[in-house]
Amino acid sequence: MYEDLNNKVAVITGGSKGIGTAISKRFGEEHMNVIVNYNSDVAGATAAVDEIKRAGGHGVAVQANVGTETGVQALIDAAVTNFGTLDVWVNNAGMENQHATHELMLADWEKVINVNLTGVFLGSKAALKYFVDHGKPGNIINMSSVHEQIPWPTFAHYAASKGGVKLFTETIAMEYAARNIRVNSIGPGAINTPINAQKFADPEQLANTTKMVPMQKIGEPSEVAAAAAWLASNQSSYVTGITLFVDGGMTLYPAFQGGQG
Ligand code: NAD
């Protein structure tokens, strides 16, 4: 537990399931005040708020589409109205779908870029503006992916969005460092969340994915949430502009594991 997080105010986008819910719960355990954003899954967001409260924090579920300026502003407003300020902003919302690139419809490209990249821009912009206007330090955490580094055929829009998040994170980390606003990314590998439910339900696909992880196992959302808590806390006070991979070694070129090559 990180004592400096006690009573801090956070917004977590896409908090109604998966990694977002795990971060909500972990922030609850840190006794933080959390705005849990959801787009359509009110039941999931309400359950996340219940978890926060059970863990000793405060939480409020707020509907907003992160791909819109009005949506992210509603989240800032909710943080200020309910908890008086904003300290930590987590751009977690994301989506993916699979298409061969020569068949990828513009609409599918735009949907993924809108949530995964434009949403990160809009959320970061709103949070930065709040921190700058109020002359206070701030902390932004962007949920990237191992696919900001590893190419992913048939997921070109997803990989492009996460590659964009990497350089966006590094750029604004540099731009706002002197104002004591830290910006970092987390790069999860294969994590056991609803986004992967169908894939991991198939034993063959599960085995194929596990083979790509040197630690030979799928990660849990709580392991990603632990990284978010550390980045949000003062324990990482001299860290900005990084991607913290939480991937069991997936980014370490596992094909070379046997010493071949
Ligand atoms: P998930 O599908 O379980 O959760 C994604 C969340 O984003 C959902 O709550 C969804 O409602 C929300 N969301 C989608 N569009 C939104 C919008 N327009 N406005 C607000 N919320 C919206 O997925 P997850 O696995 O928990 O993924 C969370 C993040 O982690 C994503 O950015 C994803 O790309 C990233 N990630 C996940 C994995 C993994 O293996 N699970 C790996 C790498 C990166």
Side-chain angles (χ1 to χ4, degrees), residues 12-23 37-41 44-45 62-68 75 91-96 111 114-116 119-120 142-147 152 158 161-162 165 186-197 199-200 209 218-219 221 224 246 250:
I12 302 171
T13 70
S16 59
K17 54 172 83 74
I19 291 170
T21 294
I23 297 174
N37 160 243
Y38 66 97
N39 193 23
S40 55
D41 180 7
V62 179
Q63 195 285 329
N65 177 354
V66 299
T68 66
L75 298 177
N91 285 306
N92 167 74
M95 61 173 297
E96 66 184 43
K111 218 188 295 178
N114 180 248
V115 178
N116 295 12
V120 170
N142 295 328
M143 204 52 66
S144 183
S145 165
V146 290
H147 296 296
W152 200 14
Y158 183 84
S161 72
K162 297 301 187 181
V165 167
I186 296 173
I191 310 296
N192 188 15
T193 72
I195 222 172
N196 290 320
K199 184 162 57 185
F200 295 163
T209 303
I218 302 303
V224 182
V246 181
M250 194 184 234

Side-chain angles (χ1 to χ4, degrees), residues 178-232:
R179 294 179 190 263
N180 207 10
I181 298 170
R182 297 193 293 118
V183 188
N184 293 289
S185 289
I186 296 173
I191 310 296
N192 188 15
T193 72
I195 222 172
N196 290 320
Q198 216 181 341
K199 184 162 57 185
F200 295 163
D202 173 356
E204 198 182 323
Q205 289 197 61
L206 177 63
N208 283 342
T209 303
T210 307
K211 249 189 266 161
M212 292 189 288
V213 184
M215 289 183 77
Q216 303 272 292
K217 58 182 182 185
I218 302 303
E220 289 304 320
S222 60
E223 295 176 296
V224 182
W230 181 73
L231 285 172

Side-chain angles (χ1 to χ4, degrees), residues 97-105 153-157:
N97 49 54
Q98 183 170 20
H99 300 280
T101 306
H102 68 284
E103 289 168 349
L104 174 57
M105 303 295 286
T154 68
F155 289 89
H157 46 348

Side-chain angles (χ1 to χ4, degrees), residues 49-93:
V49 165
D50 289 345
E51 293 228 48
I52 291 169
K53 290 180 178 165
R54 263 200 303 277
H58 300 281
V60 176
V62 179
Q63 195 285 329
N65 177 354
V66 299
T68 66
E69 284 191 298
T70 48
V72 295
Q73 192 54 49
L75 298 177
I76 296 267
D77 294 346
V80 173
T81 305
N82 286 282
F83 303 125
T85 189
L86 175 72
D87 300 293
V88 179
W89 183 283
V90 184
N91 285 306
N92 167 74

